[in-house]
Amino acid sequence: VQLVESGGGLVQAGGSLRLSCAASGSIFSIGNMGWYRRAPGKERELVAFITLGGSTNHADSVKDRFTISRDNTKNTVYLQMNSLKPEDTAVYYCNAVIRRWSHSAGSDYWGQGTQVTVSS
């Protein structure tokens, strides 16, 4: 199983970016999917997560600016980031709880990370 992220880059403050993360491989089902980030010198933090049914939760620091969504037909999770601020600069990682077979429990999988840099 692989999670492959795309969409990071350099943007000016106030701009937007859309991150994507596609899961591939031997997959029976995907449960919760989420985005985390790690800024330089800081601990990794949860940005947002979304359940299989579409319920979402966003960190207070990104509410009303970021929106998480998913396309279950494509095994893909998205993070639309608007009104970006310099403090949003970080490496963003996607996460998914994946069951590889019908008889297996879910396991955590992580993407390789994508850099988001917001200039002031």
Side-chain angles (χ1 to χ4, degrees), residues 4 36 38 41 43 47 54 92 94 96 99 104 111:
V4 179
Y36 291 73
R38 176 174 283 156
E43 297 291 318
V47 177
Y92 285 71
C94 70
R99 294 173 64 194
S104 64

Side-chain angles (χ1 to χ4, degrees), residues 35-53:
W35 289 94
Y36 291 73
R37 67 185 181 186
R38 176 174 283 156
K42 294 188 177 181
E43 297 291 318
R44 184 178 65 190
E45 64 173 347
L46 176 65
V47 177
F49 72 85
I50 183 168
T51 68
L52 177 60

